[in-house]
Amino acid sequence: MLDDFFLRAIVAGIGVALAAAPLGCFVVWRRMAYFGDATAHAAILGVAIALALDIPVFGAALVVALCMALAVTALAGRGYATDTLLGVMAHSALAIGLVAASFLSGVRIDLMAYLFGDILAVSKGDIALIWGGGALVVALLFWRWQALLTATLNPDLAIAAGLDPRREQLVLTLTLALVVAMAIKVVGVLLIAALLLIPAATARPFARTPETMAALAAGIGVLAALGGLRASWVFDTPAGPSIVCAAAALFLLSVIVSQLRRARVGS
Amino acid sequence: MTRNTAPLVEVTDLTVRLGGQTVLSHVNLTISPAEIVTIVGPNGSGKSTLLRAVLGAVPVAKGTVRRADGLRIGYVPQKLAIDPTLPLTVDRFLSLPRRVSAQRRKTALDRAGAENLGNRQMTDLSGGQFQRVLLARALLDTPQLLILDEATQGLDQPGSAAFYERIAEVRSTLGCAVLMVSHELHVVMAASDRVICLNGHVCCHGTPEVVASAPEYRALFGTGTHGALALYRHEHDHNHDHTHDHGHHHADDHTHDHEPTP
């Protein structure tokens, strides 16, 4: 049934959206937006390495993204402000990745696909990776959900409850690297952070608990994937950016509706 | 009353270094069941660090922090900045990190004086309501030790006085020990069994009367506290003015001069 490339794209897009939504909520709550961006940008270095050594892109991107995230976590609070550190490392990794890729002949076209995604070219194998990785991400988050929320509220509160906030941070780091690696094919490294942030931010005004926010974000992510793919079909636009545009449109709608609602309550 | 008097927490010769700086040096502290111990001290004197060391949240450079086996600690943090992007009802907040039955949530909210707040968003609460919800959360597991870190920050004076009254009440209902930090000397000291005056090291300690009249304490807080202390009990202005300059180094010799007179 997955013989149609457009159907494959839809299945891949939904898979990424479902995994990115709950993680994206944590990225929003913990103000890790830039951290997500940095991890995603670093993945292009993994792509270059994979192309040079002829190894699977998914694995290489995962490893490099993970190394990046761990390095930032380890270095944070050692003299540099975290945003400075992230800026230096993220853009350095992106630049090094681009330079390294230029040494490889014939990959220039390929690299564009990794920067902006190439969802219409996903294979059945990609779909398996995306859904397998996504299931792992959701399972990890589900397993650590309560502890993660507590550590997000306040690290000392978590310690007083016998939890280790650093371990919970590690769970987020790992899931973030996983999402980055599986989303490269769909939206590309430059737009992954958008897929994490925008659905979560869109869901916020309509949620009263963390769980409803994550569920709403998942629905919004799926809607954005479907809408974006449809738009890219109709208007012949690049699929990855179209998905992000659809998410942005939903976000705008959410802002307008919540403002109107607030005005009505206020009056 | 027969109760186990083995200490809940025993801090021995504790030294803590944070970012290359020695924040605490050679601190000793014992907390027995059901007593209220208050740590006072100027800003940057290591009060919060000491609390966090008791919690086990800071690395110990030297010395030991020993907690009784299976000690149940209820912790009320100094400040809990809930990100506005995080939707959270009071009930949901109480169920972190462990799910808690509606009955237990209600009991804890009632005990903390936060009745009927369960359905509200955390970010919509007033300062006083927020603190009472934090207290309710700390009371969920009927703790043996309640730790409060400047829990009344941002409350007005009647608000914080009411809060400490509430703490004393909780102590007598639950029989838990209380370890707290505060800068509101008079309010807190009135409610304390023991006071520890901290400035990187223990300057002096003892009953509120003893500490309030200790020259080390006065050296730290100045005579400006006279008026405030008068609020809590009568003034102790007998013959300390002759004391030579202590520079608040050696602590204990003074507290021993003044056996508490109950």
Side-chain angles (χ1 to χ4, degrees), chain A residues 63-137:
Chain A
V63 168
V64 173
L66 195 57
C67 289
M68 177 70 178
L70 289 174
V72 171
T73 310
L75 287 173
R78 294 203 185 164
Y80 290 102
T82 309
D83 62 338
T84 307
L85 198 65
L86 285 171
V88 169
M89 294 185 66
H91 296 118
S92 304
L94 183 60
I96 293 169
L98 293 174
V99 168
S102 75
F103 285 122
L104 309 166
S105 51
V107 296
R108 196 150 299 174
I109 303 299
D110 271 336
L111 210 57
M112 282 298 284
Y114 294 109
L115 285 173
F116 297 105
D118 193 7
I119 191 175
L120 297 180
V122 294
S123 64
K124 286 180 187 172
D126 292 331
I127 286 180
L129 276 180
I130 287 171
W131 279 81
L136 189 58
V137 167

Side-chain angles (χ1 to χ4, degrees), chain B residues 43-227:
Chain B
N43 285 337
S45 59
K47 292 172 301 207
S48 293
T49 306
L50 180 52
L51 283 198
R52 300 184 68 230
V54 171
L55 277 178
V58 289
V60 171
K62 235 185 82 197
T64 55
V65 176
R66 194 175 304 128
R67 283 172 290 271
D69 274 346
L71 180 66
R72 293 190 308 278
I73 296 181
Y75 174 60
V76 181
Q78 177 171 22
K79 227 159 104 193
L80 191 60
I82 293 191
D83 200 283
T85 59
L86 178 59
L88 199 63
T89 60
V90 170
D91 275 337
R92 186 68 189 84
F93 172 71
L94 293 179
S95 274
L96 286 174
R98 275 169 280 279
R99 302 270 175 191
V100 170
S101 71
Q103 183 53 48
R104 274 178 64 208
R105 288 200 301 263
K106 190 182 172 315
T107 309
L109 284 172
D110 289 350
R111 270 188 188 141
E115 300 88 351
N116 306 322
L117 291 180
N119 210 19
R120 298 271 296 276
Q121 284 285 309
M122 291 294 289
T123 42
D124 291 345
L125 300 178
S126 73
Q129 289 171 332
F130 197 98
Q131 286 306 331
R132 275 173 280 159
V133 168
L134 286 184
L135 177 61
R137 185 182 175 282
L139 293 178
L140 277 174
D141 287 331
T142 48
Q144 297 157 285
L145 173 61
L146 192 58
I147 297 186
L148 302 103
D149 190 354
E150 305 237 12
T152 56
Q153 249 190 2
L155 298 192
D156 56 13
Q157 197 134 41
S160 56
F163 188 81
Y164 286 117
E165 237 164 72
R166 174 74 60 182
I167 298 293
E169 204 181 298
V170 163
R171 190 264 301 254
S172 48
T173 335
L174 297 184
C176 59
V178 178
L179 174 65
M180 56 186 177
V181 156
S182 185
H183 58 279
E184 289 163 301
L185 304 171
H186 53 285
V187 183
V188 167
M189 287 174 78
S192 307
D193 299 320
R194 260 185 328 125
V195 174
I196 289 164
C197 179
L198 196 71
N199 192 19
H201 56 278
V202 176
C203 295
C204 49
H205 62 86
T207 61
E209 291 89 342
V210 167
V211 169
S213 55
E216 292 87 355
Y217 176 82
R218 294 199 172 176
L220 280 177
F221 292 104
T223 47
T225 51
H226 274 263

Side-chain angles (χ1 to χ4, degrees), chain A residues 148-161:
Chain A
L148 277 166
L149 273 179
T150 310
T152 299
L153 272 177
N154 181 291
D156 284 350
L157 219 55
I159 292 172

